Amino acid sequence: MESNKSPLLQLIDKVSFFDEFSESEKCEIINNNSMVRKYEKKNLTIFSEGDEGRSLVIILAGQVDITKLSSPKAKKGQVSLRDSKTVTLAKLGVGSVFGEVSLLSNQRRTSSVVTSTPLVIALQIDKENLQAFNSSIQNKFQSQFISILIKRLEEMNEKFGRSQI
């Protein structure tokens, strides 16, 4: 039966973010071709630190690096971009979700995302995409956002709680 599914639906079925979505809801999501992004080269920038952030990304295939510019301490506050170096904060793969804070708050990106495999397939979802879906799909997205944010808060509390001991 799985072979009858589109390749994109097969990919989305492997991502736990969509576990609560029905088959027809998943089909509705992937039928919005404007959300599907395919990056066919390593080291392509998906977005850069400082960019306006109005969307989140869910990785369906491949891997990405989350990076941040790091600059050495400068004398009298003077640092040039050429003195900066890029630091990899995390490597994310299939099922990873990032950019949800920017989507929800319209804040600028605090890091960059660069493809680390020759092929990355992702869903890039903005507010307009979300608002175009029916209320059932919107509610499931919102529920997932809340779960992600709670999980990240718990991870931070655990990390910083241990460092205080």
Side-chain angles (χ1 to χ4, degrees):
M1 183 167 143
E2 180 130 335
S3 62
N4 293 337
K5 292 183 181 182
S6 75
L8 201 50
L9 188 55
Q10 289 178 37
L11 290 175
I12 207 172
D13 277 344
K14 295 177 184 174
V15 175
S16 63
F17 183 95
F18 296 103
D19 285 351
E20 301 301 317
F21 291 75
S22 70
E23 202 74 8
S24 64
E25 289 171 332
K26 291 176 191 177
C27 288
E28 187 175 337
I29 291 166
I30 62 172
N31 284 337
N32 184 340
N33 289 331
S34 69
M35 295 188 328
V36 179
R37 300 282 195 274
K38 196 174 195 181
Y39 303 91
E40 297 182 291
K41 191 175 178 185
K42 193 174 176 178
N43 295 319
L44 289 177
T45 300
I46 294 176
F47 56 74
S48 298
E49 184 176 343
D51 285 355
E52 285 188 31
R54 294 203 172 103
S55 63
L56 72 85
V57 178
I58 303 170
I59 301 295
L60 301 179
Q63 293 184 325
V64 298
D65 290 335
I66 307 296
T67 65
K68 190 158 184 67
L69 286 177
S70 170
S71 50
K73 301 261 187 225
K75 295 180 183 177
K76 298 182 182 175
Q78 304 249 334
V79 175
S80 72
L81 281 179
R82 68 185 162 100
D83 294 331
S84 298
K85 68 178 189 175
T86 301
V87 176
T88 299
L89 303 175
K91 292 185 176 290
L92 303 178
V94 173
S96 296
V97 179
F98 51 90
E100 70 285 346
V101 172
S102 293
L103 171 74
L104 298 171
S105 66
N106 290 329
Q107 290 182 3
R108 292 198 174 273
R109 303 288 186 186
T110 59
S111 57
S112 298
V113 179
V114 179
T115 60
S116 59
T117 55
L119 176 64
V120 173
I121 300 173
L123 287 178
Q124 189 165 347
I125 304 164
D126 62 25
K127 286 183 181 179
E128 291 77 25
N129 297 136
L130 283 175
Q131 291 169 348
F133 291 124
N134 67 47
S135 61
S136 174
I137 292 176
Q138 288 182 37
N139 290 338
K140 288 177 183 176
F141 268 106
Q142 290 172 358
S143 176
Q144 288 295 63
F145 298 158
I146 291 168
S147 294
I148 289 167
L149 292 171
I150 289 171
K151 180 181 176 197
R152 296 213 173 123
L153 182 59
E154 287 171 345
E155 289 169 352
M156 283 189 348
N157 284 338
E158 185 176 311
K159 179 180 177 180
F160 290 110
R162 276 187 278 156
S163 67
Q164 300 297 318
I165 297 175

